[in-house]
Amino acid sequence: MKKLYSVLTAAALMPLCLLTGQVSQASQADEYNPVVRNFQVREGEYRIARELVKNAKHLPANTVYEFVPEPNFAKAGTYKTRIRLLYPDNSMETSREVTVSVYDHAWQAKKTVKKHKKAKKSRKKAKKRVSDAKRYQAKVKGKSTAFGQAFKSKRLVSNRAKLPKKTSFRFARVPNFKRAGSYYTAVLVTYPDKSQEYTRQVKVTVKRQKDKSKYQAKVKGKTVAYGAKLTAKSLIKNAKALPKKSKYQLSQKINTKQAGTYLLAVKVTYPDKSWEVTPFVKVKVKRQTDKARYQVKVRPGQVTLGQKLSPSQLVTNLSSLPKKSKFAFTAQPNWQKAGSYRTKIQVTYPDKSKETSAFLTVTVKDPADSSRYTPVLLAAKTEAGKTIAASSLIANFASLPAGSQASYLTAPDFAKAGSYKTQIKVIYPDKSTWTSSEFMIEVAPGAESTQSN
């Protein structure tokens, strides 16, 4: 009964497609039946496994044969072995057990001398006719290679320096160097005399492709605001297409609080530790805006009805702001209506950046009584002993606001004749005041004083 073996690596197996409604095709191991035989060989003469398969010519070309286990052709003895066949479709089978007898030089000593001499002559002739494939034995060893890095079959032959110079080598089955995995193959060795042999099977491992070969980070230039944070990943325009755990590092750290143009590259380290450095790109750090450099400070304002205040009059740090800055109220007060107006001041700096101040209050007040009313003085003359009230010297006192009060700054001595220089002060109900200029009050001698004289 045949034993079927599967090569477990995906790279070594041809995919079996199971289609609905269809039966999978039989493998070559099922289709063919190798017929093997026992074998005798002289000590020191190597034989290939194919020689033990009687019907090898009728089996598929490129079938690989190997001993399992391999007899020791260098030492006389009887060896039990099997022949393992690897067919072109990657199916495998192992033959029944056979015997390989390796005999020494004295094996035919019991023969007659005559027969011995004939055998010796035939051996000499046979020795002359021994092919290179029987004289030499190519030794192979497995090999690992990077993804996509192909190599020639002779690289698997470890003793090729001991083989004839014009020996050629060919893969029995070429590994797929562009697909990671393990491949079982052998080497077909063709000697200068055209004789051939297949080596035993060896494993060729194609390593997984490195991330830096699978991916390529693409970079883009960028303009960043003054003082803004700059990350290396923000310069990678295809970051979403790269592995999630990739790490990014700028070729140099830059101070984004210093305006200018910088040339930067990004080092990308992939999850498998492979890395690449991108080309350089320009990163421009903008000049700091006036809005960021300055801060407007304001105060409340007060104005009389009908008058106006410019916004700059309410800026307390005007001298420290750029000269060509422009100011405007966000909500214009009504200068023609008394009241309190809550507003802000918007500053437009020379670089066109804008800033809005904190809230402030602008109060529009009715004008003071002192500015609305003007007292008219009368001539001041009286006799000694007759006091004149300050209000009686104001001709229009009655038209002044009710509650207005008038008084002398320096009260004259109305009991004594003389000339007195004084002023009159008027205090209005709104606490505003009016003070007259200096004038003279004449106090004449009274009638009694005249009679006594």
Side-chain angles (χ1 to χ4, degrees):
M1 184 176 181
K2 298 182 179 181
K3 296 183 179 180
L4 303 179
Y5 295 85
S6 298
V7 181
L8 299 180
T9 59
L13 280 175
M14 296 290 288
L16 297 177
C17 301
L18 299 178
L19 304 177
T20 304
Q22 294 183 1
V23 179
S24 59
Q25 295 180 351
S27 67
Q28 290 176 328
D30 292 325
E31 183 179 352
Y32 295 98
N33 185 25
V35 179
V36 293
R37 62 190 173 96
N38 295 330
F39 200 75
Q40 292 182 348
V41 65
R42 184 182 177 186
E43 184 181 47
E45 293 185 4
Y46 176 78
R47 291 291 186 268
I48 60 175
R50 188 176 186 275
E51 291 182 76
L52 275 68
V53 180
K54 292 181 179 181
N55 62 337
K57 292 182 179 180
H58 303 290
L59 299 181
N62 293 332
T63 299
V64 178
Y65 307 84
E66 68 175 341
F67 289 111
V68 184
E70 186 170 350
N72 186 354
F73 293 102
K75 184 178 180 181
T78 301
Y79 300 93
K80 299 291 186 181
T81 185
R82 297 176 188 270
I83 307 301
R84 184 160 62 193
L85 295 84
L86 173 63
Y87 292 101
D89 68 351
N90 282 312
S91 61
M92 300 176 72
E93 72 171 303
T94 303
S95 73
R96 66 175 178 80
E97 191 174 69
V98 294
T99 301
V100 175
S101 299
V102 180
Y103 58 88
D104 59 18
H105 297 280
W107 184 71
Q108 292 180 334
K110 295 180 179 180
K111 302 288 183 179
T112 63
V113 176
K114 186 176 180 180
K115 288 184 178 179
H116 178 71
K117 289 180 178 180
K118 288 182 179 179
K120 187 175 181 181
K121 289 180 180 179
S122 69
R123 282 199 301 271
K124 286 182 179 180
K125 291 180 181 179
K127 189 173 182 180
K128 292 180 181 178
R129 294 194 299 269
V130 170
S131 66
D132 289 339
K134 293 181 179 181
R135 293 174 61 196
Y136 299 98
Q137 180 185 1
K139 296 181 180 180
V140 288
K141 62 179 180 180
K143 183 176 175 62
S144 295
T145 186
F147 183 94
Q149 187 172 338
F151 59 83
K152 294 182 179 180
S153 57
K154 67 180 181 179
R155 297 281 299 279
L156 297 177
V157 180
S158 59
N159 66 332
R160 65 178 183 273
K162 295 181 180 180
L163 302 181
K165 288 185 178 181
K166 294 185 178 181
T167 303
S168 63
F169 308 90
R170 182 168 64 86
F171 282 115
R173 204 95 67 246
V174 180
N176 186 349
F177 293 104
K178 292 186 178 180
R179 185 175 180 183
S182 294
Y183 299 85
Y184 289 89
T185 187
V187 177
L188 175 60
V189 183
T190 302
Y191 292 99
D193 66 355
K194 307 304 180 182
S195 61
Q196 294 181 322
E197 71 164 318
Y198 279 99
T199 67
R200 67 179 179 83
Q201 292 183 60
V202 289
K203 184 169 70 173
V204 174
T205 302
V206 178
K207 295 179 181 178
R208 178 178 175 270
Q209 186 179 18
K210 290 187 176 181
D211 287 338
K212 73 172 183 178
S213 300
K214 292 172 64 177
Y215 303 98
Q216 182 180 6
K218 297 180 181 179
V219 284
K220 59 181 178 180
K222 188 175 183 180
T223 299
V224 296
Y226 182 93
K229 184 179 180 180
L230 175 67
T231 63
K233 189 176 181 179
S234 67
L235 300 181
I236 306 296
K237 63 182 179 181
N238 65 333
K240 290 183 178 179
L242 302 183
K244 289 184 178 180
K245 294 184 179 181
S246 299
K247 296 180 181 179
Y248 307 89
Q249 182 181 356
L250 290 172
S251 57
Q252 64 171 322
K253 291 184 178 180
I254 64 171
N255 183 4
T256 57
K257 290 187 177 181
Q258 184 174 347
T261 300
Y262 300 84
L263 288 176
L264 296 177
V266 178
K267 179 181 179 181
V268 184
T269 303
Y270 294 103
D272 67 353
K273 306 303 180 185
S274 61
W275 54 271
E276 66 168 317
V277 178
T278 68
F280 282 90
V281 291
K282 288 183 179 180
V283 174
K284 183 179 180 181
V285 178
K286 291 182 178 178
R287 177 180 174 273
Q288 186 180 21
T289 61
D290 290 335
K291 172 185 176 179
R293 295 174 64 190
Y294 301 100
Q295 183 181 6
V296 63
K297 297 179 182 180
V298 295
R299 63 176 177 82
Q302 184 172 302
V303 68
T304 302
L305 185 72
Q307 296 180 340
K308 294 182 180 181
L309 285 173
S310 67
S312 60
Q313 289 179 281
L314 303 180
V315 177
T316 59
N317 63 334
L318 184 65
S319 61
S320 64
L321 301 182
K323 289 183 179 180
K324 294 184 179 181
S325 301
K326 297 178 181 180
F327 306 89
F329 288 113
T330 57
Q332 187 73 23
N334 187 347
W335 309 113
Q336 304 302 320
K337 184 178 180 180
S340 294
Y341 299 91
R342 187 173 170 82
T343 186
K344 295 180 181 180
I345 295 176
Q346 185 181 74
V347 186
T348 302
Y349 293 106
D351 67 353
K352 308 302 180 183
S353 61
K354 295 182 179 182
E355 176 189 10
T356 302
S357 73
F359 276 104
L360 60 107
T361 300
V362 176
T363 303
V364 179
K365 296 179 65 176
D366 286 325
D369 291 337
S370 60
S371 62
R372 298 170 63 191
Y373 302 96
T374 303
V376 178
L377 291 178
L378 298 174
K381 191 174 182 181
T382 186
E383 294 179 352
K386 293 182 178 181
T387 302
I388 303 175
S391 57
S392 64
L393 294 180
I394 300 175
N396 60 340
F397 189 77
S399 63
L400 298 182
S404 298
Q405 298 176 1
S407 61
Y408 293 110
L409 287 182
T410 304
D413 187 358
F414 291 104
K416 184 179 180 181
S419 296
Y420 298 94
K421 184 184 290 187
T422 189
Q423 292 175 284
I424 293 177
K425 179 179 181 181
V426 179
I427 300 176
Y428 295 101
D430 67 354
K431 305 304 180 182
S432 61
T433 62
W434 174 86
T435 302
S436 71
S437 56
E438 288 185 334
F439 65 96
M440 299 297 294
I441 294 180
E442 296 292 337
V443 179
E448 294 182 358
S449 300
T450 304
Q451 291 177 3
S452 63
N453 291 332

